[in-house]
Amino acid sequence: MQASQEPQTSSTVHSLYHQSMPQIEPYCFSPLQVLNSNSSGNRSQGAEVSFQTCNEQIFTLESTPAPDDVVYNSPSAVSVSSNRSPFSPQCSLSYVSDVHHSSDNTYGSPLSGYSGVDDDNKLMHAFMELRNELLGPESDIDDSCSFYGVAPQTSSLSRFKRILEMAPNMDLTQVLIACGEAVSEGDVSTAEALIDILERRVSVSGEPIERLSAYMLEGLRARLLSSGSIIYKKLKCREITSSELISYMQVLYHVCPYYKFAYMSANVIIGEAMENENRIHIIDFQIAQGSQWVFLIQALARRPSGPPYIHITGVDDSQSAHARGGGLELVGQTLAKVAKSCGVPFEFHAAGMSGCEVQLQNLQIRHGEALAVNFPYVLHHMPDESVSTMNHRDRLLRLVKSLSPKIVTLVEQESNTNTAPFFQRFCETLDYYAAMFESIDAARPREDKQRINAEENCVARDVVNIIACEDTDRVERHELFGKWRLRFMMAGFSPIPLSRSVSTAIMDMLNEYSPNYRLAESNDALYLGWKNRAMATSSAWR
């Protein structure tokens, strides 16, 4: 593409995403949690959305207004205000992970759904009602114990005996949760009995919950056999060719907007921040195939003042190298060709290592280059203080801050699986991935072989890792935006409000997808969601 003399606007950045994708990132990101979109299918009209207060037990999209949130069902969405999530579901299982982990609620996550002791009690009351619904009001469970805690032994034995009797008549989700609790409490005989029941009811070509349950069942079995790491590594190292893996990622790229959400939001943010810069250095901590930067290079080539000099440092790992079918030199060659075709002075620097290994000397920092740093679904793979005294998650943020970047972009899944105890983490995983599988289901037939392969090779291993692995073997460690916000601020960063052009670009992109995808803005972050479930956030920092 030749450089154009047209003025650069946000449309010159995001319009490129409606072209065909060169080759989609081969790295298998965990699918993201999603937020709401206009369920009527009409995106041209802004729908008024409001919320109930935190003291109320039910949070929906149809409740009363609150102060700082904006929910987009179209680019002309209305403003509402709230200190919570713009997508607070009704007693969602995503909040189970917070019940015994109240410290995570102090980080200001806009999706925590409740705050303080009163809200904890209300949520626990809702779970107690669910328990009574399953086991009956005459259940002999000791009510002084937490619903998901370990009851006295005799009570626990009686409870699981009752569950086994009821299991044939329980729905799949209830059986799955009961099995997760049995595994959590070390009741092997009950867990094995429930696994036998689940095996007859799950299917990789069935309804979304049947497909997800098939993979969660593998995770439970692996945990029960203390073989989680072995099974996870086999899934991760499955002998598929790089071309097969690319094709599976292409499927996810086209049927779900999660990758585009990350690429587009970061590119618009970086493009605006670098509008008047003549020398730009971009450090991408998960560059994969580098497809994201094809679009930005093309957009920057259109600047009326002429294209800037672009220097890209790509951080990557061996897994992405396998998916590409080669090392980072392939990424550099591809981007260099694109830059040459656009008349953009370009240089690529390869840092073939994981983010945990990155040190200052690996980043080729130069005086006079305006620095942009991109974290696309990668920081949750960095172990924090709960895993290692090295705390690479915070170390990396401090290192980046020391470089005085002009802009830092963060895109992460909106889920809480990092420090949550097993059973709460299990319920959070069920809630998050149920929404993700449902969103995939809306775009592909259930018997579609490519869809099955994509879920198996690019999603299942993440689910198994969260459920079956612990300590350093558990690499899928997601945090809510409120926790990321605190980490960034403790490292010295300040949030940057996103311009309207970012949300406009994403809304235009969402027109290609199901109307159940939604967009909201709160606490200087953009939220992507599926129906009432927050799936991913995008934010900018300096």
Side-chain angles (χ1 to χ4, degrees):
M1 180 184 295
Q2 298 298 317
S4 168
Q5 295 303 308
E6 297 175 304
Q8 182 189 8
T9 65
S10 62
S11 62
T12 63
V13 176
H14 71 260
S15 64
L16 293 167
Y17 286 83
H18 299 278
Q19 302 175 9
S20 59
M21 184 68 180
Q23 262 195 326
I24 168 72
E25 307 287 314
Y27 182 79
C28 299
F29 298 127
S30 302
L32 314 175
Q33 291 192 4
V34 289
L35 297 158
N36 329 2
S37 147
N38 189 344
S39 59
S40 68
N42 182 359
R43 294 185 182 276
S44 63
Q45 309 239 342
E48 183 171 354
V49 182
S50 56
F51 311 94
Q52 295 177 350
T53 65
C54 292
N55 291 327
E56 296 175 274
Q57 189 172 359
I58 298 176
F59 308 123
T60 70
L61 288 174
E62 291 79 24
S63 6
T64 54
D68 300 317
D69 299 342
V70 180
V71 178
Y72 299 98
N73 284 310
S74 76
S76 58
V78 296
S79 297
V80 294
S81 58
S82 174
N83 293 322
R84 298 182 293 101
S85 162
F87 305 100
S88 298
Q90 177 179 351
C91 298
S92 168
L93 285 176
S94 63
Y95 306 131
V96 176
S97 56
D98 287 329
V99 173
H100 299 292
H101 229 352
S102 59
S103 61
D104 279 352
N105 284 333
T106 65
Y107 298 113
S109 168
L111 288 176
S112 59
Y114 63 92
S115 60
V117 176
D118 290 342
D119 292 311
D120 280 353
N121 290 339
K122 287 181 180 295
L123 186 58
M124 187 58 66
H125 176 70
F127 287 137
M128 294 293 285
E129 288 184 344
L130 175 60
R131 183 201 66 184
N132 289 335
E133 180 182 341
L134 291 177
L135 303 181
E138 303 302 321
S139 168
D140 54 5
I141 299 175
D142 184 352
D143 282 347
S144 66
C145 298
S146 170
F147 175 40
Y148 287 129
V150 180
Q153 185 175 9
T154 55
S155 179
S156 180
L157 290 173
S158 176
R159 174 161 54 106
F160 281 122
K161 180 180 178 182
R162 181 79 179 274
I163 287 175
L164 285 175
E165 292 173 351
M166 298 173 60
N169 298 318
M170 292 165 63
D171 67 34
L172 181 57
T173 300
Q174 291 172 330
V175 179
L176 191 62
I177 291 174
C179 188
E181 187 176 11
V183 171
S184 176
E185 295 191 10
D187 190 330
V188 177
S189 60
T190 298
E192 289 177 340
L194 291 172
I195 284 174
D196 289 340
I197 295 172
L198 287 167
E199 283 180 335
R200 297 190 292 269
R201 299 177 63 176
V202 302
S203 169
V204 296
S205 59
E207 296 181 1
I209 188 60
E210 294 175 334
R211 307 198 311 263
L212 173 59
S213 296
Y215 300 123
M216 295 191 72
L217 179 59
E218 289 303 311
L220 286 173
R221 182 185 286 109
R223 187 179 185 89
L224 202 60
L225 297 174
S226 298
S227 60
S229 296
I230 296 173
I231 291 179
Y232 171 66
K233 288 173 182 176
K234 286 182 178 179
L235 282 169
K236 184 176 180 180
C237 301
R238 176 182 166 86
E239 290 299 325
I240 58 174
T241 66
S242 59
S243 60
E244 286 176 326
L245 185 52
I246 292 295
S247 69
Y248 302 151
M249 294 308 299
Q250 286 280 4
V251 171
L252 291 183
Y253 179 85
H254 289 297
V255 303
C256 302
Y258 308 127
Y259 295 107
K260 288 185 179 180
F261 173 72
Y263 296 166
M264 292 182 67
S265 60
N267 279 7
V268 174
I269 292 168
I270 293 172
E272 290 182 339
M274 300 297 179
E275 185 176 6
N276 298 314
E277 299 293 341
N278 293 321
R279 298 184 66 85
I280 299 171
H281 183 188
I282 299 170
I283 301 176
D284 188 345
F285 275 90
Q286 185 59 71
I287 197 165
Q289 281 183 269
S291 303
Q292 173 176 354
W293 309 115
V294 171
F295 305 117
L296 186 62
I297 291 170
Q298 292 171 337
L300 292 176
R302 299 169 178 259
R303 295 202 316 193
S305 59
Y309 174 90
I310 299 177
H311 172 199
I312 293 181
T313 293
V315 179
D316 211 6
D317 55 25
S318 58
Q319 181 176 318
S320 290
H322 165 70
R324 275 192 305 270
L328 279 170
E329 64 275 4
L330 296 178
V331 176
Q333 292 168 8
T334 298
L335 294 179
K337 290 178 182 177
V338 172
K340 184 177 180 180
S341 69
C342 298
V344 175
F346 178 81
E347 179 181 352
F348 183 81
H349 171 60
M353 62 190 71
S354 74
C356 294
E357 301 172 291
V358 171
Q359 302 291 336
L360 176 61
Q361 59 267 26
N362 305 124
L363 299 178
Q364 209 172 77
I365 302 300
R366 296 172 184 165
H367 180 71
E369 293 181 341
L371 180 63
V373 177
N374 187 43
F375 288 117
Y377 307 130
V378 67
L379 274 181
H380 72 271
H381 289 143
M382 304 298 110
D384 71 348
E385 68 280 1
S386 68
V387 182
S388 166
T389 55
M390 294 295 292
N391 190 1
H392 291 292
R393 191 170 295 198
D394 290 341
R395 179 192 70 82
L396 200 56
L397 291 181
R398 291 193 297 270
L399 172 61
V400 170
K401 180 58 181 176
S402 72
L403 306 178
S404 301
K406 185 163 187 178
I407 194 74
V408 176
T409 53
L410 171 71
V411 180
E412 275 293 346
Q413 297 161 238
E414 185 67 359
S415 183
N416 186 12
T417 63
N418 183 23
T419 58
F422 169 70
F423 185 62
Q424 289 81 0
R425 187 169 78 238
F426 178 84
C427 292
E428 170 76 348
T429 302
L430 173 60
D431 187 52
Y432 183 88
Y433 285 94
M436 187 278 298
F437 273 72
E438 185 179 307
S439 70
I440 295 176
D441 194 67
R444 277 286 176 119
R446 290 175 183 172
E447 66 279 3
D448 188 291
K449 183 64 175 176
Q450 286 293 307
R451 192 269 310 153
I452 295 173
N453 286 333
E455 289 177 348
E456 179 183 357
N457 292 285
C458 303
V459 181
R461 68 179 182 82
D462 293 343
V463 172
V464 170
N465 183 258
I466 295 171
I467 295 173
C469 300
E470 293 294 349
D471 302 320
T472 56
D473 287 329
R474 181 157 63 87
V475 296
E476 299 299 327
R477 293 177 169 273
H478 309 105
E479 293 185 320
L480 299 173
F481 176 70
K483 185 65 178 286
W484 290 118
R485 183 182 178 93
L486 180 62
R487 286 192 188 277
F488 269 73
M489 295 180 74
M490 289 179 65
F493 289 98
S494 298
I496 300 176
L498 303 182
S499 72
R500 191 55 175 269
S501 60
V502 181
S503 57
T504 299
I506 300 300
M507 284 306 302
D508 288 347
M509 178 268 290
L510 288 179
N511 284 323
E512 303 173 1
Y513 296 91
S514 167
N516 285 319
Y517 288 106
R518 302 183 182 182
L519 198 66
E521 190 169 353
S522 178
N523 293 327
D524 299 316
L526 197 61
Y527 288 76
L528 174 65
W530 173 260
K531 295 182 178 177
N532 283 0
R533 185 41 159 119
M535 300 301 284
T537 61
S538 179
S539 56
W541 303 84
R542 180 178 296 135

